[in-house]
């Protein structure tokens, strides 16, 4: 790395390097050359844009027929940076010496032409070298950092909640079981059942679907905490919005109610979008031009709007009154479908909106029961183009109310002894939410398939790479 | 949260609040009171230290016998901040109104007395409310952020490598199998084997032991990348240094060799330690006083030393020449044991040291073969008190050498087709390392059991909470 300049530095501080000798290294994205003279577009991975290198072939130390240098070969270039105010690119490097570091085979699968995203998924090890995926995964990284920055600057404690869990605490969908038992020779108990005492943890274990219940323990010690880690759903669904493995952010705040929770969610979304707009303007410009024409307008609108807030009951009324024909009819008590959510946020509010106070029967047991005894203090954030992006709630802190609700749902108190103890030993009002990280990235980039915002996606039947 | 001041703000900016009315909320850590008058130490989770609240009992709105207010109850306090330059604490709050938010039961398991760490593990949901664990888990959060900050400030791309994997790429120890098959009724193929085609991914899958091979794909697109995520080992070992689930940081850098790799590792460790020393002085003071007397000296020494560097061959010679009797005898070719590692770093170098160029037979297939054809370009970083904290290497970028090595080890090329293609399409020299995050936290805090630096640890037979 020594002495080598990153291309990002050349772009961000061009004048520091003008007419000076620089050394860069990177991969050939395009090459136009006669045998005497040519242009190479080099990308070094540090920046979305390429650098144009101008050369005559005598400058290449260790390769003869320059015009046959395959794209994706890695090279090092020493040359002079010259500003080119009349060209498309702001500067170029006039090569004095080019060394081929690693020659690419000519059958490189990512040739310079339009490829479908479906095809690129089959070469997930190479696709980050394409423009679109270089942009997606740089934005993903920057957005992840923005989330940490947002919470850490306010003193939130980042808490690593467990991935391996002995309890299906939420009953949230199918789980992956974990085992070290020999599946060809499963130990059985006397009554013929699987003997989990022989398994690694001495009991059944699964991959987590949410770190929330564990995060609550930490919120009641540190006041403000957040998780950011992988979560899993073994749902056999093959949609553009579901993956078996995805990352989730789950803040949890004590001495806080549903209003505080929504304020936090709104501030976080705006912070992350602002941060990505500031750090990745080239990438967002690319998405706006090639992936989703309205993207920049939409993002700008979001950071400058106050999010809407409406109760579920009022939202249902609005949907019914709209006259719009939905595939799935709207009635008080139903779980809102994506078509309803999108209509609310895209057509009625025309901006992100929190829907609050859902019927208790369609929400999880830990959500705080409202005075009406019919609804709970939940708040889902819906955004245009996606639908639900955040699901949050105030948590039930009243031990008796929580226990009664668990009984209604036939949940076993013993499985939740530690969760219940949080209410016994200095419980206080608290709230939190979950943000699906991939949904956020889809929202910020305009990418429409979750497989295209995860480096190596895991979905039904697919665990390649 | 509105209007409430965090205790951290009171400590960091005391003069802004002197003689003013403030509102805080938090949990009672200690209480000394007659029925008329008393002192409460309140901790709100935002800061390691408590705030002393002075009150007379008429100020408590909703609780009668103040002297019986159980510790761990949550309260809100409105009062005036008064500086107390002659006392142990720099200020106190003279209460005007105290409201009990959540009353704790009197049998609170974390009473004010010395508890063993073993006992506290049985109440992992409450232990972050104790001094030691409040300090450990705040340091863990701050250190995690420091790692992100270090890499992001240099433009590294944070890459979420997959947790679920179809390949045991490193052969690094036992893995957890993942399945959605019904273990009581496993589908079999015609020849009586488990029919994994029926499983969720249509094949055998495991939990990852390392994201490195995937990270290499991204380094060859973005140049500098890092992972930071959970990894898993189903090793049936019951030591103070091993957990079944732990977090790992794996940077991977292109156009870089082993020297660059060591420089990066050393800079990262120093950055993280400096950052924690700056952000968490109270916590480190506590560890230095109660957990590990030499801690601060050691950390200061580390950030101000140039790490040692020695080849494996020379290190073996030094160990043999030392005259020290080891349980496990030293010979060229052995894998260094913790006793050897600690002797090297603690007695011979008296500072962190990189041991480089290990025999190829004790290292992984992907490490770059040296000229001598006997050793590989590996570098492990050993630190006093711990032993190995980082394992790194330059990766084999020469396709023919890599393939030959895989053949020696009977690795199936087809399983690694994409990994091999990285060498075919513009491969370049590159390197990386893995840092066990828990080992780092043990090193920074002086805590000696890995179970005490993970919020809810998973070890053999233990997946509680």
């Amino acid at each position: 790395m020594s002495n080598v300049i990153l291309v990002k530095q050349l772009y961000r501080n061009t004048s520091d390097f003008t007419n000076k000798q620089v050394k860069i290294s990177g991969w050939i994205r395009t090459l136009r050359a006669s045998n005497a003279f040519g242009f190479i577009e080099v990308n070094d991975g540090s920046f979305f844009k390429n650098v144009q290198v101008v050369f005559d072939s005598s400058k290449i130390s260790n390769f003869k027929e320059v015009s046959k240098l395959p794209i994706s070969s890695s090279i090092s270039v020493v040359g002079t940076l010259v500003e080119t105010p009349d060209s498309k690119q702001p500067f170029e490097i006039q090569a004095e010496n080019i060394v081929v570091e690693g020659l690419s085979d000519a059958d490189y699968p990512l040739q310079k032409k339009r490829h479908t995203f479906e095809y690129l998924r089959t070469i997930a090890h190479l696709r980050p070298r394409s423009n679109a995926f270089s942009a997606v995964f740089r934005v993903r990284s920057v957005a992840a950092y923005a989330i940490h920055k947002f919470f850490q600057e306010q003193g939130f404690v980042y808490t690593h909640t467990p991935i391996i869990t002995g309890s299906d605490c939420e009953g949230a969908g199918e789980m992956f079981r974990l085992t070290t038992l020999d599946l060809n020779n499963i130990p059985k108990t006397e009554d013929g059942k699987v003997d989990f005492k022989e398994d690694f943890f001495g009991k059944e274990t699964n991959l987590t679907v949410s770190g929330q219940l564990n995060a609550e323990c930490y919120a009641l010690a540190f006041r403000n905490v957040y998780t950011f880690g992988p979560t899993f759903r073994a749902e056999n669904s093959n949609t553009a919005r579901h993956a078996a493995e995805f990352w989730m952010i789950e803040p949890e705040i004590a001495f806080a109610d549903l209003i505080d929770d929504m304020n936090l969610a709104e501030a976080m979304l705006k912070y992350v979008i602002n941060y990505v707009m500031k750090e990745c303007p080239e990438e967002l410009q690319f998405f706006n031009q090639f992936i989703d024409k309205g993207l920049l307008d939409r993002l700008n609108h979001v950071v400058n709007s106050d999010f809407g807030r409406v109760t579920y009951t009022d939202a249902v009324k609005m949907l019914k009154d709209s006259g719009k024909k939905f595939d799935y009819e709207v009635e008080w008590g139903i779980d809102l479908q994506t078509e309803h959510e999108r209509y609310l946020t895209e057509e009625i509010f025309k901006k992100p909106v929190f829907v609050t106070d859902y019927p208790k029967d369609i929400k999880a047991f830990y959500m705080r029961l409202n005075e009406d005894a019919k609804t709970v203090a939940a708040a889902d954030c819906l955004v245009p183009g996606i639908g639900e992006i955040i699901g949050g709630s105030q948590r039930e802190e009243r031990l008796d109310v929580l226990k009664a609700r668990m009984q209604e749902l036939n949940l076993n108190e013993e499985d939740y002894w530690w969760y219940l103890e949080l209410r016994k030993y200095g419980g206080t009002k608290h709230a939190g939410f979950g943000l699906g990280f991939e949904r956020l990235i889809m929202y910020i980039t305009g990418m429409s398939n979750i497989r295209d915002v995860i480096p190596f996606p895991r979905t039904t039947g697919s665990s390649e790479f």
Side-chain angles (χ1 to χ4, degrees), chain A residues 363-374:
Chain A
K363 287 291 183 185
F365 76 94
Y366 50 71
M367 297 190 181
R368 193 179 196 278
L369 194 64
N370 286 327
E371 294 287 297
D372 62 16
K374 289 193 310 186

Side-chain angles (χ1 to χ4, degrees), chain A residues 165-406:
Chain A
T165 169
S167 47
D168 169 8
C169 282
E170 250 195 280
E174 295 282 322
M175 300 177 85
F176 288 102
R177 182 190 302 282
L178 216 73
T179 184
T180 53
L181 296 177
D182 177 358
L183 298 194
N184 280 305
N185 188 16
I186 290 189
K188 297 280 169 83
T189 58
E190 280 181 13
D191 56 350
K193 294 276 162 88
V194 179
D195 185 4
F196 285 107
K197 286 213 169 54
E198 299 287 310
D199 210 345
F200 189 88
F201 294 107
K203 59 188 264 196
E204 294 187 53
T205 51
N206 299 299
L207 289 184
T208 186
V209 294
S210 160
Q212 178 198 316
L213 305 195
N214 296 100
E216 284 186 53
C217 302
Y218 271 57
L220 291 172
F222 291 109
R223 183 183 201 112
N224 295 327
V225 304
Y226 70 108
T227 73
F228 189 171
T231 44
F232 303 85
R233 300 278 157 88
E235 271 168 51
N236 216 319
S237 62
N238 201 359
T239 82
R241 289 156 31 101
H242 291 90
E245 173 180 324
F246 55 99
W247 284 64
M248 197 143 75
I249 295 105
E250 297 181 284
E252 193 72 30
I253 49 180
F255 299 101
D257 60 18
L258 195 66
I259 306 286
D260 298 316
D261 204 35
M262 288 189 282
N263 291 345
L264 181 70
E266 181 169 340
M268 180 199 67
L269 282 179
K270 288 176 173 173
Y271 183 97
V272 173
I273 293 171
N274 269 318
Y275 190 80
V276 173
M277 290 201 296
K278 184 165 75 72
E279 295 294 322
C280 300
E282 291 82 5
E283 285 83 353
L284 293 185
Q285 199 60 57
F286 170 86
F287 293 126
N288 194 60
Q289 194 171 349
F290 295 106
I291 305 289
D292 178 353
K293 298 271 179 224
L295 181 71
L296 281 178
D297 282 349
R298 201 169 67 232
L299 294 179
N300 273 307
H301 180 55
V302 167
V303 295
N304 293 308
S305 310
D306 289 328
F307 290 13
R309 298 185 185 194
V310 62
T311 64
Y312 169 91
T313 302
D314 287 347
V316 164
K317 194 164 180 308
M318 285 174 180
L319 290 168
K320 290 175 76 121
D321 291 351
S322 72
K324 162 88 178 170
K325 253 304 196 212
F326 294 106
D327 292 340
Y328 197 91
E329 208 184 330
V330 183
E331 278 304 331
W332 198 97
I334 66 155
D335 209 354
L336 297 180
Q337 304 297 306
T338 302
E339 57 172 338
H340 309 135
E341 292 175 343
R342 291 189 58 171
Y343 191 82
L344 276 167
T345 178
E346 290 167 16
E347 303 300 327
I348 299 183
F349 284 87
K350 297 183 194 303
K351 63 182 181 182
V353 57
F354 288 102
V355 178
T356 67
D357 304 296
Y358 284 78
K360 70 172 180 172
D361 292 335
I362 57 169
K363 287 291 183 185
F365 76 94
Y366 50 71
M367 297 190 181
R368 193 179 196 278
L369 194 64
N370 286 327
E371 294 287 297
D372 62 16
K374 289 193 310 186
T375 61
V376 288
D380 286 358
C381 181
L382 317 180
V383 294
I386 300 268
E388 186 200 325
I389 195 168
I390 284 175
S393 70
Q394 187 169 339
R395 318 308 189 186
E396 185 58 76
E397 87 280 13
R398 296 161 298 187
L399 187 59
D400 51 339
V401 183
L402 183 60
K403 281 186 172 178
R405 184 74 185 129
M406 285 174 66

Side-chain angles (χ1 to χ4, degrees), chain A residues 68-192:
Chain A
K68 295 204 173 129
L69 197 52
I71 66 162
S72 190
S73 297
S74 59
I75 60 174
S76 290
V77 179
V78 173
T80 304
L81 186 144
V82 177
E83 296 201 38
T84 51
D86 298 331
S87 309
K88 207 177 52 172
Q89 63 281 352
F91 59 84
E92 64 187 23
I93 292 175
Q94 293 174 350
E96 286 140 35
N97 186 242
I98 297 178
V99 176
V100 178
E101 304 255 342
L103 202 59
S104 178
D105 274 18
D107 65 346
Y108 182 57
L110 196 56
Q111 294 297 326
K112 183 87 192 161
K113 61 167 193 158
R114 268 221 181 273
H115 300 284
T116 64
F117 288 155
E118 286 76 11
Y119 168 70
L120 292 172
R121 280 175 218 146
T122 68
I123 50 168
H125 59 314
L126 302 176
R127 69 176 178 170
R129 305 178 186 191
S130 70
N131 280 329
F133 289 98
S134 154
V136 166
F137 292 113
R138 198 174 293 100
V139 164
R140 185 176 167 117
S141 168
V142 168
Y145 185 52
I147 283 164
H148 283 296
K149 213 165 141 62
F150 173 78
F151 287 118
Q152 294 270 348
E153 284 172 355
Q154 298 175 73
F156 280 58
V157 171
Y158 178 30
T159 302
H160 288 128
T161 51
I163 310 299
I164 298 172
T165 169
S167 47
D168 169 8
C169 282
E170 250 195 280
E174 295 282 322
M175 300 177 85
F176 288 102
R177 182 190 302 282
L178 216 73
T179 184
T180 53
L181 296 177
D182 177 358
L183 298 194
N184 280 305
N185 188 16
I186 290 189
K188 297 280 169 83
T189 58
E190 280 181 13
D191 56 350

